[in-house]
Amino acid sequence: MTPSRASGRGVSWAFAALGGSLAGAALQLHQPTLWRAGAYAALLFAGVAGLWWRRAFGRLLLVAALVCGALAGAGLAGWRAVAYAGDALDPSLEGRDLQVTGVVSQMPQRNETGTRFHLDVESARWADARNDAPPVVPSRIALGWYGENTGLWGHAMEGRATSSAAVGALHAGERWQLTVRLRAPHGNLNPHGFDSELWLWEQGVHANGYVRTGTHDAAPAYVANTWWHPIERAREAVRDAVFERVADRRQAGVIAALVTGDQGAIDRAGWDVFRATGVAHLMSISGLHITMFAWLAAHIAGALWRRSTRLMLRLPAPQAALIGGVLLATLYALFSGWGVPSQRTVWMLATVALLRLTGRRWPWPHVWLLTAAVVVAIDPWALMQAGFWLSFVAVGVLFATDSTEAGERKTGAAQRLFLFFREQWVITLALTPLSLLLFQQVSVVGLLANAIAIPWVTLVITPLVMLGAVAAPLWDVAAWAVQALAVLLQWLAGLPFATLSMAAPPWWMAACGVAGGALLAMPLPRSMRALGLPLLLPVLLWQMPRPATGEFELLAADIGQGSAVLVRTATHSLLYDAGPRYSLESDAGHRVLVPLLRAFDERLDMLVLSHRDIDHTGGAPAVLAMQPGTLLLSSIEATHPLRAQHPGAVCEAGRQWNWDGVHFELLHPLASDYTATAKSNAVSCVLRIGNGRAAVLLAGDIERDQERALVQRGGALAADVLLVPHHGSKTSSSEALLDTVHPRIALVQAGYRNRFGHPAKEVVARYTARGVRVVESVRCGAAQWTSVRPAEVACERDRHARYWQHRVP
């Protein structure tokens, strides 16, 4: 065999092995449950051994490399997952008071409700000084320290009132002794929604909770200052200095985010503008920032190295510049919070630098796959994050469309400008299908906004905010630069059709779309580039399937302690309630319902708000802002802010309408009920939906008196699905109602370990005694039901079960 042929086979073997490792890790991430550690160790050993003895496979070398790479990738990812899972919170500790001592490991996040922080636990004991064996607590926990009458997971917490000055007066690196109450990290799970449980898993957080400040609890005690987490302390000091220096909190938030990586410093309105204009990636420490910093640091390190003859004799300047650039970029990433995007970029830069230092010149696909494989080996769960795919697809497209080797790159200013816009166009075109898959939204003005924002943020704002840590007056200059950019971005975001939203396409369709976008942008003959159009069109024309005429379907969103149900017919959509408000900056509308409606490409015809309680109306402003043409139907009073901003009709029994052969009828309240009681639950809008073969009853928060009135008035109440009144409270779900409705399925929308105890055990027993299937959102996630199969319900936690997801005992 000639050397060139052997080299070619070696390159192909490496390519197959790298691709196999990524595929193996991806397959392992789709496991619903974990195997034993020994099984993953065996897979890893078999894969590595096979790759080591690759010559034994002969003609099957490439297939063997692919299989062995997959075994190694799956084994490594699974072995790490087992190690992570071993630090999970013991279910018996949930809801029990513990006294923990630990060090604050990240700079605290403060908002209007209190302070959130991570604590590295050093010791734990029972808060009531019992003599039992000390509890075993996860090594890292996420805690909230809340003030008087503030929210805890969307609800007011019981406990001793504490002054706002004392709440959360802690800093990174400090050791504290705290009385806490913990629970497992349980998040909401919805179609195309954010997986908060995976996000916490990736950070090594296996429990969250809050600091107890009740009259019978030991007060939080500062123990000592430590030398642990010095970078976090420096980040916190710089962030606080920014907010002290810059008066405008919006400008200060952007500066703090760019210099310390604290994305929480930017308010929700700011993020809305950045997302609408496609520049959100610039407002955090992204891979672009790290790469540009590495490039600048390498030039400076190389220039300084060349000034010393002795150093030049020990190590050539290009190699010293490369090493210096990677090391300084790593320090920058550490100071910016060592976020997952920063970590990926550092591993990518280190991998490319190692290849150059060892004199290896691999083809770009191999370099691209190698960097991806290194990142996944270190952080296998990156494969489930949108940022991983956006960054690596963008890098791959730039590699594939780069014309340097073809001699097309010129040194003239005009050519440089042309190549800059060409790269922006290539990335935008190739990532549009992927953005639709991940976010169901792309910015139409993003190309123009990025063309201005990338050089302005990278070359003007970022250097100013970094130098401001040494010379604080430069932050004032940076604030002016941020304000100038904000004015432009707000104007672009306000343009008609600034963003384009489409239904989420299937993954295989999005993959074809990315390939089509890359083909259209690559420097190929026009006839070959035109082949990309058939690949790109399906993802742009995709429409979410809808029920047939005469049928309807229901999706009970997983929004915690609250209510939100989407009803779809052939051509119409209705949203019943809009979930809770979690804080001043967060609600179910922004976090769950708007992304969900965007993923389904829904245009709401009607929003029904059963009553005024915040766990039913908290997300309504966000939903109505997204779809201002929606008809609002509610029982809220005329003076309510929502009625002032969005006038609508009042719920009244007897109102009915038909959509696509499906009948909608309001059964409660009567017009007289509005004057007979001041209790909001009593005037909840009760809506029955049916097509003659199947029916659903959405009951809001009505209680026994209203249930009795409904039964006594007669009329059609029978339904296949009942949205359990008042989330399963003891005051509702009377025997008379259940015997009249006679449901097959009872949907309970309630928060995990909510302080109200919903659903009550006696209420659940009442349903199960009648053979009703009780479906709770904490166990099911989002629940989907269709009139075609009225006896079945599909749970998101069952359909997309993953091993990191919390399972309620």
Side-chain angles (χ1 to χ4, degrees):
M1 183 183 297
T2 62
S4 60
R5 184 176 179 182
S7 176
R9 292 190 63 182
V11 169
S12 300
W13 167 85
F15 189 83
L18 291 172
S21 69
L22 292 174
L27 289 173
Q28 192 279 328
L29 293 178
H30 284 76
Q31 285 189 289
T33 56
L34 288 173
W35 301 334
R36 294 183 179 273
Y40 295 114
L43 289 179
L44 179 59
F45 176 80
V48 172
L51 293 174
W52 183 262
W53 294 98
R54 61 183 183 274
R55 294 182 180 179
F57 295 104
R59 295 181 178 180
L60 298 177
L61 179 65
L62 295 184
V63 176
L66 184 66
V67 173
C68 292
L71 292 175
L76 180 59
W79 179 73
R80 290 200 58 195
V82 171
Y84 263 57
D87 200 29
L89 177 70
D90 185 342
S92 66
L93 298 181
E94 289 190 290
R96 303 177 69 177
D97 290 346
L98 310 172
Q99 192 170 84
V100 298
T101 301
V103 178
V104 180
S105 60
Q106 289 186 355
M107 61 177 182
Q109 301 291 325
R110 300 177 178 88
N111 57 26
E112 77 283 353
T113 63
T115 301
R116 293 177 292 107
F117 58 98
H118 287 181
L119 189 77
D120 285 350
V121 178
E122 297 175 327
S123 64
R125 62 187 181 89
W126 300 106
D128 55 5
R130 64 178 68 184
N131 295 322
D132 297 346
V136 179
V137 176
S139 57
R140 173 167 293 184
I141 58 178
L143 294 173
W145 185 346
Y146 301 97
E148 181 179 4
N149 298 323
T150 56
L152 172 66
W153 301 316
H155 297 284
M157 61 172 285
E158 67 280 7
R160 186 183 61 208
T162 53
S163 65
S164 59
V167 172
L170 40 70
H171 305 279
E174 292 180 347
R175 180 177 288 113
W176 281 75
Q177 187 178 77
L178 306 166
T179 302
V180 302
R181 185 171 289 182
L182 301 178
R183 68 170 191 170
H186 186 97
N188 302 327
L189 197 61
N190 293 280
H192 310 286
F194 176 69
D195 191 342
S196 60
E197 294 178 22
L198 174 61
W199 181 71
L200 289 171
W201 172 283
E202 198 171 16
Q203 296 184 77
V205 176
H206 291 285
N208 52 25
Y210 66 99
V211 178
R212 296 281 292 171
T213 56
T215 54
H216 301 292
D217 301 308
Y222 167 79
V223 177
N225 200 2
T226 73
W227 290 100
W228 294 105
H229 311 293
I231 295 178
E232 287 299 314
R233 297 205 65 170
R235 292 179 65 220
E236 183 182 356
V238 171
R239 181 195 63 182
D240 294 345
V242 168
F243 279 96
E244 291 178 4
R245 178 81 191 187
V246 180
D248 190 303
R249 295 194 64 83
R250 291 192 175 185
Q251 298 169 14
V254 173
I255 294 173
L258 290 176
V259 71
T260 68
D262 183 10
Q263 298 186 32
I266 302 177
D267 61 16
R268 190 172 68 185
W271 281 119
D272 289 342
V273 172
F274 298 147
R275 292 189 184 101
T277 53
V279 301
H281 63 100
L282 295 174
M283 299 305 149
S284 58
I285 305 299
S286 64
L288 177 64
H289 292 96
I290 304 296
T291 304
M292 290 297 297
F293 186 88
W295 176 82
L296 180 61
H299 277 273
I300 295 175
L304 294 175
W305 196 270
R306 290 184 181 92
R307 299 178 68 87
S308 172
T309 304
R310 181 177 300 178
L311 293 177
M312 288 281 290
L313 292 175
R314 289 181 176 273
L315 186 68
Q319 294 185 11
L322 193 60
I323 295 173
V326 173
L327 290 178
L328 291 173
T330 302
L331 291 176
Y332 177 42
L334 286 170
F335 185 78
S336 67
W338 198 237
V340 175
S342 299
Q343 294 178 39
R344 296 173 191 146
T345 306
V346 168
W347 302 136
M348 179 185 69
L349 292 173
T351 303
V352 174
L354 184 62
L355 287 175
R356 291 189 178 182
L357 290 174
T358 55
R360 300 180 184 275
R361 303 182 65 86
W362 286 12
W364 72 261
H366 295 69
V367 176
W368 183 56
L369 270 183
L370 177 61
T371 56
V374 169
V375 170
V376 171
I378 297 172
D379 178 16
W381 305 284
L383 283 169
M384 305 299 292
Q385 303 288 354
F388 172 86
W389 294 104
L390 289 173
S391 60
F392 277 95
V393 169
V395 171
V397 169
L398 286 178
F399 269 137
T401 59
D402 185 37
S403 56
T404 303
E405 296 181 0
E408 295 182 14
R409 192 174 296 278
K410 306 296 181 181
T411 58
Q415 286 294 328
R416 289 178 180 271
L417 184 63
F418 169 76
L419 289 174
F420 170 78
F421 282 103
R422 176 174 174 246
E423 289 177 351
Q424 292 301 307
W425 164 251
V426 167
I427 293 176
T428 301
L429 186 62
L431 293 186
T432 293
L434 187 59
S435 298
L436 288 174
L437 173 67
L438 298 173
F439 309 115
Q440 296 78 54
Q441 183 182 34
V442 292
S443 175
V444 177
V445 299
L447 184 61
L448 175 60
N450 276 281
I452 299 171
I454 286 177
W456 188 252
V457 172
T458 305
L459 302 178
V460 178
I461 297 178
T462 301
L464 286 173
V465 301
M466 294 299 296
L467 294 173
V470 180
L474 290 177
W475 282 334
D476 298 328
V477 182
W480 297 335
V482 170
Q483 177 62 22
L485 180 63
V487 171
L488 174 64
L489 294 180
Q490 287 174 356
W491 176 75
L492 289 174
L495 293 176
F497 306 107
T499 59
L500 176 66
S501 299
M502 294 185 179
W507 68 267
W508 58 268
M509 189 178 291
C512 292
V514 172
L519 276 176
L520 288 172
M522 290 177 68
L524 298 171
R526 292 184 178 179
S527 57
M528 296 185 65
R529 292 168 62 184
L531 295 177
L533 190 59
L535 295 174
L536 192 63
L537 284 179
V539 71
L540 298 177
L541 300 177
W542 164 257
Q543 292 184 349
M544 187 68 68
R546 300 192 66 89
T549 301
E551 304 294 344
F552 67 105
E553 61 186 26
L554 173 150
L555 189 150
D558 187 8
I559 41 79
Q561 183 67 24
S563 179
V565 179
L566 176 65
V567 181
R568 306 169 74 229
T569 68
T571 61
H572 294 82
S573 299
L574 176 147
L575 181 64
Y576 182 87
D577 283 336
R581 186 182 69 185
Y582 308 118
S583 68
L584 292 180
E585 285 291 315
S586 177
D587 58 61
H590 273 89
R591 284 175 50 180
V592 178
L593 298 178
V594 168
L596 183 65
L597 293 172
R598 187 181 294 129
F600 282 79
D601 196 25
E602 289 297 331
R603 298 296 180 265
L604 284 181
D605 296 279
M606 184 180 296
L607 171 61
V608 178
L609 298 178
S610 61
H611 60 299
R612 67 169 179 257
D613 288 2
I614 197 63
D615 57 335
H616 295 251
T617 62
V623 172
L624 293 174
M626 174 196 181
Q627 303 199 22
T630 301
L631 172 64
L632 177 61
L633 184 62
S634 71
S635 65
I636 58 179
E637 62 275 15
T639 57
H640 194 281
L642 277 173
R643 289 285 298 273
Q645 299 168 8
H646 198 99
V650 176
C651 288
E652 189 172 333
R655 179 169 183 152
Q656 49 189 304
W657 64 95
N658 286 281
W659 284 345
D660 308 312
V662 179
H663 185 69
F664 294 74
E665 182 178 4
L666 284 171
L667 305 180
H668 185 80
L670 300 172
S672 58
D673 291 331
Y674 287 100
T675 57
T677 179
K679 192 173 182 180
S680 61
N681 288 353
V683 291
S684 291
C685 305
V686 177
L687 179 65
R688 185 180 186 273
I689 309 166
N691 61 1
R693 298 178 302 279
V696 169
L697 186 66
L698 306 178
D701 278 1
I702 60 171
E703 299 179 350
R704 285 194 183 95
D705 290 342
Q706 293 77 48
E707 294 175 356
R708 187 183 307 111
L710 276 174
V711 173
Q712 290 175 353
R713 285 201 296 266
L717 283 178
D720 297 277
V721 177
L722 171 65
L723 182 64
V724 173
H726 204 180
H727 319 286
S729 168
K730 297 178 182 178
T731 62
S732 306
S733 297
S734 61
E735 291 86 348
L737 179 71
L738 300 190
D739 293 337
T740 304
V741 177
H742 195 62
R744 300 183 181 185
I745 299 168
L747 298 179
V748 181
Q749 290 186 301
Y752 178 62
R753 295 190 66 86
N754 64 87
R755 72 185 186 96
F756 306 104
H758 295 159
K761 292 182 179 179
E762 54 264 47
V763 172
V764 174
R766 206 175 295 152
Y767 281 96
T768 54
R770 290 165 171 78
V772 182
R773 179 185 176 186
V774 179
V775 179
E776 301 179 45
S777 58
V778 294
R779 289 181 168 85
C780 177
Q784 300 186 53
W785 174 92
T786 175
S787 60
V788 177
R789 294 180 295 276
E792 301 175 13
V793 62
C795 290
E796 190 70 13
R797 287 188 177 271
D798 295 334
R799 295 173 60 221
H800 299 96
R802 300 292 184 268
Y803 59 79
W804 58 79
Q805 293 168 359
H806 176 243
R807 290 171 175 81
V808 180

